[in-house]
Amino acid sequence: MDDFRRWCAADLEDPALTEELRAIEGREEEIQDRFAVALKFGTAGLRGVLGVGSNRMNIYVVRQATQGLANWVKTQGGNQLVAISYDSRINSEVFAKTAACVLAGNGIHVRIYDTLMPVPALSFATRYYGANAGIMVTASHNPAKYNGYKAYGPDGCQMTDCAAAAVYEEIQKTDILEGAKLISFEEGMAKGLIEYIGEDCKEALYDAIKARSVRPGLCATAGLKLVYSPLNGSGLVPVLRVLNDIGISDITVVPQQREPDGHFPTCPYPNPEIYEALKLGLELAEKSGADLMLATDPDADRVGIAIRCPDGSYELVSGNEVGVLLLDYICAGRMENGTMPKNPVAVKSLVSTPLADQIAAHYDVELRSVLTGFKWIGDQIARLEADGEVDRFLFGFEESYGYLAGPYVRDKDAIVASMLICEMAAYYRSVGSSIKARLEEIYAQYGRYLNETDSYEFPGLSGMDKMAGIMQSLRNNPPSEISGYKVEKVIDYEKSDETGLPAANVLTFVLSGGASVVIRPSGTEPKIKTYFTTLGRDLAEAKAQRNALAEGIKPLLA
């Protein structure tokens, strides 16, 4: 209540925040929700609902976080420079420029994009300019009422635990309303402390992406017909630029989802994993007879696809399936062309399909499994780079529709993924096949794997405590069986001495018959996620097993 009254007494610069304060006066639960806790800065930065208070995303939370980041940057030496990008979300540009003003106020140089650009562009600019850190203003695929602030280290990868903890310590020392030093954006520009990212950097990114082509020139003669949706986000310009450059000209953009719009009027949950977000694109694909439909999320680090089947219908392809298809395509193509590096390495998250392990083994590629979160894939690239072997990295993916081919950035990249998906479609067409046919060949060769995810929400202030209690209970009293399938092994990723990975709040239950269930709390939302892997003689058998396991898991998460 003291914090609430202090905010009420302050001369806030954003009238919408003042209006919200008036609206919640006398409503204790609403006040508590905004002021009882603060958004915590971690390796994924900040993410929260837009609004007033320490538990919301607003210019004061952004100032406080950026002052903490500035204090940390000042201890790092180097260029004393931070790169900034932002997507189409409500207040994204405001928050990006607010961060720039605080950094400039602390004497730190800023390179900021002059228009919205996606996550891979931020990661690339951070590396291109030798920056100490990067900031990406986005809440990825969350609903429109959210925004966020992702922080990156000098390698262009999301911040390490150690750096994030140091920044968080500095944030806690900074008064949220008055603790940040800042100058105006115009003053920062006049002093040369704030500069826009140059065309040279943008062109270098596009060149780096196109260099990851497996079969250059193929798309120019393929006659591929494409429907694309940026889901009102930041992907429109970079995705179209690269696809046009490689020779794909027959692209229909979903008109209702073309322009940047943080309200996401056609898809309340702008997530390319879900059918509702792709619905308009699918309708357009059916009308036009497109070969392929692509959709990127608002910050264009993830891409979802639908492929045309022989009967003219369209089938959504899961993140695991696209990951497996791309791994197979890249490996086969590079071996065929003689461009496969010596001792190649691919990386996937531990919750992604084990089918990838079989494909990697077939091509004699080392496949490394890492914790969930693309920063761990970035960490593997960094280790290869430190050993002077960065060219060994072929491909990384996670089941949540994130892919990266090549080491030019250290986060997932929907631009390069879109390019390679189109190239893959063009290639299979050129040999009288299709993406669908190749996927069925893979299943026939290795077995019918099914990988599906469920989420359980735990909203409110007590949600995090409830989630922690459930995870602890599963550790202390693991089930001996789930839906009749014996639990043969429990892997607890908090025990890093046993897993060889950094400690993480993740449990894997290995079941009889080759199935497994992975359970972990989300790092960005109040959810517990369950990842089911089943292996059947056909899809029906794999689905029946998955459904039985899902029913058996429900009471454990109640």
Side-chain angles (χ1 to χ4, degrees), residues 489-505:
K489 185 180 181 184
V490 179
I491 304 171
D492 184 351
Y493 287 89
E494 279 200 341
K495 298 176 179 176
S496 55
D497 54 332
E498 294 178 14
T499 65
L501 297 171
N505 192 9

Side-chain angles (χ1 to χ4, degrees), residues 490-523:
V490 179
I491 304 171
D492 184 351
Y493 287 89
E494 279 200 341
K495 298 176 179 176
S496 55
D497 54 332
E498 294 178 14
T499 65
L501 297 171
N505 192 9
V506 181
L507 291 166
T508 294
F509 299 95
V510 181
L511 308 175
S512 56
S516 66
V517 181
V518 180
I519 301 178
R520 60 175 279 269
S522 167

Side-chain angles (χ1 to χ4, degrees), residues 71-372:
N71 292 351
W72 175 79
V73 166
K74 285 190 230 178
T75 68
Q76 298 303 297
N79 283 346
Q80 293 291 286
L81 184 148
V82 175
I84 301 177
S85 187
Y86 56 94
D87 68 4
S88 63
R89 285 186 171 272
I90 298 165
N91 284 346
S92 277
E93 184 176 0
V94 171
F95 292 164
K97 289 185 172 178
T98 295
C101 292
V102 173
L103 291 163
N106 283 270
I108 294 166
H109 285 79
V110 173
R111 283 281 192 167
I112 184 170
Y113 279 101
D114 57 358
T115 186
L116 72 170
M117 284 290 276
V119 157
L122 182 276
S123 179
F124 187 85
T126 302
R127 295 173 58 77
Y128 186 85
Y129 288 110
N132 295 83
I135 297 168
M136 177 73 201
V137 180
T138 179
S140 189
H141 55 278
N142 281 49
K145 66 180 181 179
Y146 284 84
N147 210 331
Y149 177 111
K150 286 184 182 176
Y152 288 74
D155 58 354
C157 194
Q158 284 191 43
M159 240 178 202
T160 63
D161 291 337
C162 184
V167 171
Y168 182 54
E169 190 177 336
E170 293 300 325
I171 290 171
Q172 289 179 298
K173 297 175 188 173
T174 304
D175 181 82
I176 192 167
L177 294 176
E178 299 170 351
K181 301 175 197 167
L182 71 161
I183 57 177
S184 72
F185 193 83
E186 293 72 22
E187 185 183 350
M189 292 280 285
K191 288 183 172 178
L193 285 165
I194 299 174
E195 294 181 79
Y196 287 121
I197 284 169
E199 291 301 313
D200 56 332
C201 179
K202 294 178 189 176
E203 291 302 318
L205 169 64
Y206 296 139
D207 289 345
I209 290 170
K210 288 179 285 187
R212 302 313 301 179
S213 171
V214 177
R215 293 181 170 92
L218 180 68
C219 289
T221 57
L224 202 65
K225 194 179 179 80
L226 182 69
V227 167
Y228 168 62
S229 173
L231 296 180
N232 301 117
S234 62
L236 181 69
V237 170
V239 170
L240 291 189
R241 163 65 192 270
V242 168
L243 295 185
N244 286 325
D245 280 0
I246 64 168
I248 300 175
S249 56
D250 193 349
I251 305 173
T252 303
V253 180
V254 179
Q256 303 94 319
Q257 298 172 339
R258 180 185 182 96
E259 298 306 321
D261 186 345
H263 294 93
F264 309 117
T266 63
C267 51
Y269 203 73
N271 184 349
E273 294 182 64
I274 62 173
Y275 170 78
E276 288 76 12
L278 275 60
K279 186 170 181 289
L280 288 172
L282 287 167
E283 289 171 359
L284 200 52
E286 285 167 4
K287 281 181 192 170
S288 63
D291 301 297
L292 193 61
M293 188 256 158
L294 300 175
T296 53
D297 65 346
D299 57 347
D301 60 355
R302 302 186 311 133
V303 59
I305 75 167
I307 52 176
R308 192 169 187 232
C309 299
D311 64 359
S313 66
Y314 288 83
E315 180 180 311
L316 298 183
V317 188
S318 74
N320 273 313
E321 288 174 329
V322 172
V324 159
L325 282 161
L326 284 173
L327 177 63
D328 173 70
Y329 172 73
I330 291 167
C331 291
R334 294 213 174 279
M335 289 187 76
E336 178 188 314
N337 296 339
T339 56
M340 181 71 93
K342 190 178 178 184
N343 302 319
V345 172
V347 191
K348 71 173 180 69
S349 63
L350 62 88
V351 298
S352 298
T353 180
L355 178 53
D357 297 75
Q358 294 210 45
I359 287 170
H362 174 78
Y363 292 107
D364 201 22
V365 170
E366 179 190 348
L367 185 71
R368 301 178 182 179
S369 289
V370 295
L371 297 175
T372 307

Side-chain angles (χ1 to χ4, degrees), residues 47-70:
R47 190 177 298 189
V49 174
L50 291 157
V52 74
S54 56
N55 194 32
R56 292 286 189 271
M57 282 297 297
N58 53 65
I59 58 170
Y60 298 99
V61 166
V62 169
R63 286 178 183 177
Q64 183 189 40
T66 309
Q67 184 62 53
L69 181 69

